[in-house]
Amino acid sequence: MVAGVRRALEANRAAYEALREKLRVGMTERDAYRIVGEAVDAVCGDEHHEFIGDFVGGVRTGSIEGPATDLVLKTGDLFVCDLSVRRGNAWSDTCRTFFFGEPTDGRRNAYETVIACQKMGERIVRPGVVFEDVKAESEQFLVSKGYGGKMPHHVGHLVGLKPYMKPAFELGDKSVVEMGAICTLEPGLYFEGDFGIRVENDYVVGADGLDNLFDYPRDIAYFTIKQS
């Protein structure tokens, strides 16, 4: 299954690269969806495949998720693309946040906090760890940074045969992380009516921790869309 997820992730990478190249102010969420679809189809070709996800921009990012709409993307907006691709029988699930113009200090700080939270998860997830403990430690970290209560969802889950599988890194899930499991880490911060940020990678659990299956940039500059 790991090899299958890696192959699916080739389409995720191509989709994000296509968004970086083609997405511009004045386009809509549906335009972004079309760009992603074309990139996924180009990678997967005639192989049986599909994709689903969240395509939300502007203030809609603060509501976490949603399908693509006719919302026009403006300078200063954010755009969240949470993309799951099935290629053959294996699913991927990743997320990246794009910025239309130079981020404000507040949004930059929120983004860097999300990345730091994800990196913390990468350090603590290993065989034997209880799923809910990862969520609890992530929440404590966010509280320490002044963002308590701003991540209402789980902080990750299993992936592979389906785009979302349990156990998940959420309170109340007392399952134990197993060697060889394929999981996601997807911390986010959300400000209703303003903006939201989420970043997600896929990993396989090894004896000493996580192996990142999606070695793709996370630097904020990489996801700042050109204004031309």
Side-chain angles (χ1 to χ4, degrees):
M1 183 54 65
V2 172
V5 173
R6 286 188 187 275
R7 293 185 70 249
L9 285 168
E10 293 172 1
N12 293 65
R13 177 184 293 271
Y16 295 140
E17 286 297 296
L19 288 173
R20 290 184 64 242
E21 177 185 353
K22 300 176 181 180
L23 197 58
R24 293 292 183 270
V25 166
M27 289 185 173
T28 68
E29 294 171 345
R30 293 192 198 279
D31 290 325
Y33 182 90
R34 174 186 51 79
I35 290 169
V36 167
E38 291 172 351
V40 171
D41 288 345
V43 169
C44 296
D46 293 334
E47 187 172 5
H48 198 233
H49 67 278
E50 62 181 306
F51 73 95
I52 58 174
D54 300 314
F55 298 83
V56 292
V59 297
R60 296 185 71 225
T61 60
S63 299
I64 303 178
E65 60 189 358
T69 72
D70 290 324
L71 177 77
V72 176
L73 301 166
K74 308 182 301 298
T75 299
D77 279 351
L78 277 63
F79 178 74
V80 172
C81 179
D82 192 323
L83 177 63
S84 295
V85 177
R86 182 181 62 77
R87 188 176 183 185
N89 68 345
W91 282 91
S92 61
D93 185 16
T94 65
C95 185
R96 287 298 186 271
T97 300
F98 296 80
F99 296 79
F100 288 89
E102 191 66 22
T104 64
D105 289 345
R107 294 181 178 191
R108 182 180 297 275
N109 186 71
Y111 186 88
E112 291 174 351
T113 300
V114 167
I115 298 301
C117 186
Q118 188 178 55
K119 290 180 177 179
M120 184 192 74
E122 292 171 350
R123 293 192 298 270
I124 66 177
V125 176
R126 61 191 61 250
V129 168
V130 177
F131 274 81
E132 72 171 355
D133 290 349
V134 178
K135 169 67 171 179
E137 290 195 42
S138 298
E139 288 290 354
Q140 290 174 7
F141 174 79
L142 295 178
V143 168
S144 74
K145 299 297 183 179
Y147 293 109
K150 295 299 183 181
M151 185 178 66
H153 57 66
H154 57 253
V155 73
H157 54 84
L158 298 190
V159 66
L161 290 176
K162 298 179 181 179
Y164 173 83
M165 299 162 54
K166 288 197 172 185
F169 299 115
E170 59 188 356
L171 298 181
D173 195 328
K174 300 187 182 301
S175 305
V176 173
V177 176
E178 297 181 356
M179 178 81 166
I182 305 172
C183 68
T184 77
L185 287 174
E186 54 173 320
L189 293 173
Y190 309 93
F191 305 85
E192 187 72 28
D194 192 0
F195 72 95
I197 291 169
R198 183 163 69 259
V199 177
E200 181 178 23
N201 284 346
D202 296 350
Y203 308 83
V204 61
V205 180
D208 298 322
L210 294 180
D211 176 20
N212 186 5
L213 300 178
F214 194 54
D215 186 16
Y216 187 71
R218 293 181 286 196
D219 294 345
I220 194 168
Y222 198 77
F223 297 97
T224 300
I225 299 294
K226 299 175 183 178
Q227 296 297 290
S228 59

